[in-house]
Amino acid sequence: MNVAVTLIDQRFPKTDYGILERKVYEMKFLLKAIYTFAIAQLLTPIGYANDYNNRFISEKSPVIAFTGARVIDGTGASVKEKHTVIIRDGRIIKIGKDGKVIIPKDARRISLKGKSLLPGWVMTHEHLWYITRPGAAEDKNPSYSKDYWYGTGANGFRIATPQPVSYPRLYLAHGVTTARTAGSRFVEEDLRIRNAIDGGIQVGPDFDTGPTIYKAKGPDDARSRVRFWAKQGATSVKVYSSLSKESTAAAIDEAHRLNLKISGHLCSVTYREAVDMGIDQIQHGFLVVGTDLVANKTPGKCELPDTVKEHSQLVRQGGEKIRELFQHIIKHDVSMSSTPIVLFRPELPSHVVDFFNESGLRDYKLFRKMWEKDAETSERFLAEQITRLDVAFWRSGGKLTLGSDAAGTGVMAGYSNLKSLEILTEYGIPPLEVIKIATHNGAESLGVLEDRGTIEVGRRADLLVIKGDPSKDIKDIYNIETVFKKGIGYDPEALKKSAIGTIGGPG
């Protein structure tokens, strides 16, 4: 009230205005204050989102004691059997052997006998949109080719459709509690989604998000684009394969000046050049490492072999150069975001296919038909080759992270993240280390490791309750029973159910 009186006095000093005019202003001021308060209540999570999101919440006790847990802490350390983990107000406050930890009287006890407790996944290449090709039809006999990818010829056109509600739910349902949307076509939309989740209006992971700089008129324009999105609230930036060397260097410098992380889907700029410029992360692992191997490459131009087979041969012959590149990347502490799922694009199980709407399903069926019929053996060999390079980089001491790049063409938010973990174990990384890649390493690369990404005292209670032991069988990661984010437990099945028949584009 004192604040209100002070504001009114500043607007209408008693010596300058009559009593009646002041009283009218006081009444208007009071009515405006009441109106503002009422609207604020309607728009807050208390007034709106609780009822809307409660259907997804299975546990919201402020103090929880998990007992009998198999703790896989995300650091790569050995599994801790029969442990108690206590969380209070969204933070981990105690960890110890069963019977050795004093459990608060007000704690809700949850037995995890036969179950594992893991950190939530921290993914570094995700999207909140899905690409379809509305004009593609089987009777036009499209083939798996550049025409298909770029939506030309008999394949109609490509369209990216935002998935602002279902994708966040699917990520969370499959255990993703923090994610980087690695460059967006709909930056303002992504920022609104992030803010809605932060404010409790929607449910989903915490998103680190920002633009992709596809092109710029020059270094000054690249800097301007970074500054613009930073002012809108972007927390990271991605540079793309077509951006010139000078503009890429300017974008990296400007991002760091504004304390933003920056990653790159490279080509015109080589891996070595980007590392020397100070880039924080390279997307898609070693997918386009050929740009460092091409003989007589034109500086600042994206030059790769014309065919997948030629690209594969180039990579095969680049052994020593690639090993030297590994060490250069490691020396400069640059992380590599591996996205193996987009290389292999395995067939989706039926319960995942159910998430498609009519157009998404039509596009997916057409893709599977073409992929199985037309995709070259050399393309599949390249997928294996690149994944082996990602694993070799990790074996050399490199920092590997993980993402799904779930932007369409048979890659689905959430499920494809889990499948990516499975692929890395198939190529030789032990399950405990794959879990570390998908938790600790992701959090470290996003700059949030002090807050989340491992199960340690003081960390945020982003936790996965999993039936089974994924340290022995990575496929147990599909058995997520509850996803905790900031200490709130979410029901994966309720989240998945809400997304059935929603993923895709227009008809």
Side-chain angles (χ1 to χ4, degrees), residues 58-284:
S58 58
E59 182 57 64
K60 52 184 177 181
S61 303
V63 187
I64 300 174
F66 300 103
T67 62
R70 178 184 300 108
V71 176
I72 301 173
D73 65 14
T75 67
S78 299
V79 174
K80 300 178 180 68
E81 298 283 357
K82 298 180 180 179
H83 265 56
T84 295
V85 176
I86 300 175
I87 65 175
R88 180 186 291 275
D89 298 329
R91 291 279 164 185
I92 300 169
I93 62 170
K94 291 182 182 179
I95 304 171
K97 292 182 179 179
D98 287 347
K100 300 294 184 180
V101 176
I102 297 174
I103 298 176
K105 293 180 180 180
D106 58 344
R108 163 114 159 84
R109 295 178 182 235
I110 298 177
S111 172
L112 297 188
K113 184 178 180 181
K115 301 175 183 178
S116 300
L117 194 65
L118 280 69
W121 312 125
V122 183
M123 295 288 166
T124 56
H125 194 125
E126 309 308 322
H127 293 295
L128 294 173
W129 36 274
Y130 194 89
I131 292 173
T132 55
R133 297 156 183 81
E138 291 189 38
D139 60 1
K140 294 181 181 179
N141 194 31
S143 61
Y144 178 79
S145 63
K146 288 184 178 180
D147 273 350
Y148 175 78
W149 284 111
Y150 294 105
T152 57
N155 292 278
F157 64 97
R158 296 198 329 167
I159 184 169
T161 304
Q163 311 292 320
V165 177
S166 294
Y167 253 28
R169 291 179 187 172
L170 286 176
Y171 281 124
L172 189 65
H174 292 85
V176 180
T177 52
T178 300
R180 165 176 285 162
T181 61
S184 178
R185 299 185 181 200
F186 308 97
V187 189
E188 291 181 350
E189 184 77 9
D190 282 12
L191 291 171
R192 282 194 292 268
I193 295 167
R194 181 200 66 190
N195 294 342
I197 292 170
D198 290 349
I201 303 298
Q202 280 202 66
V203 297
D206 279 7
F207 284 115
D208 166 71
T209 193
T212 295
I213 309 296
Y214 289 99
K215 57 180 66 175
K217 296 176 183 177
D220 289 344
D221 185 39
R223 288 180 183 275
S224 177
R225 290 168 187 259
V226 173
R227 284 197 300 272
F228 173 82
W229 288 113
K231 288 180 181 179
Q232 311 311 308
T235 48
S236 64
V237 177
K238 185 174 85 174
V239 290
Y240 206 65
S241 59
S242 52
L243 201 62
S244 72
K245 184 175 179 179
E246 294 77 15
S247 293
T248 298
I252 291 171
D253 183 67
E254 192 67 19
H256 288 163
R257 191 183 69 81
L258 298 171
N259 295 316
L260 302 181
K261 297 281 188 179
I262 186 163
S263 66
H265 178 149
L266 304 175
C267 186
S268 57
V269 172
T270 68
Y271 283 38
R272 183 176 288 273
E273 288 170 341
V275 168
D276 289 341
M277 291 174 187
I279 203 164
D280 297 304
Q281 184 171 66
I282 296 173
Q283 296 293 346
H284 298 298

Side-chain angles (χ1 to χ4, degrees), residues 130-136 148 155 157 356-370 408-410 504-505:
Y130 194 89
I131 292 173
T132 55
R133 297 156 183 81
Y148 175 78
N155 292 278
F157 64 97
F356 287 122
N357 64 15
E358 184 179 349
S359 72
L361 181 60
R362 183 176 64 247
D363 193 76
Y364 172 70
K365 287 181 175 179
L366 180 59
F367 165 72
R368 290 310 313 174
K369 182 178 180 179
M370 291 189 295
T409 318

Side-chain angles (χ1 to χ4, degrees), residues 312-370:
S312 178
Q313 290 173 343
L314 181 67
V315 172
R316 192 184 312 122
Q317 295 165 2
E320 186 57 36
K321 285 186 177 180
I322 292 174
R323 284 189 288 273
E324 290 175 358
L325 182 60
F326 283 177
Q327 295 309 312
H328 191 67
I329 294 170
I330 292 167
K331 178 182 176 181
H332 288 80
D333 196 30
V334 175
S335 62
M336 304 294 290
S337 181
S338 180
T339 55
I341 195 75
V342 297
L343 302 176
F344 291 96
R345 300 180 189 268
E347 187 172 1
L348 297 173
S350 60
H351 71 274
V352 178
V353 173
D354 286 344
F355 295 133
F356 287 122
N357 64 15
E358 184 179 349
S359 72
L361 181 60
R362 183 176 64 247
D363 193 76
Y364 172 70
K365 287 181 175 179
L366 180 59
F367 165 72
R368 290 310 313 174
K369 182 178 180 179
M370 291 189 295

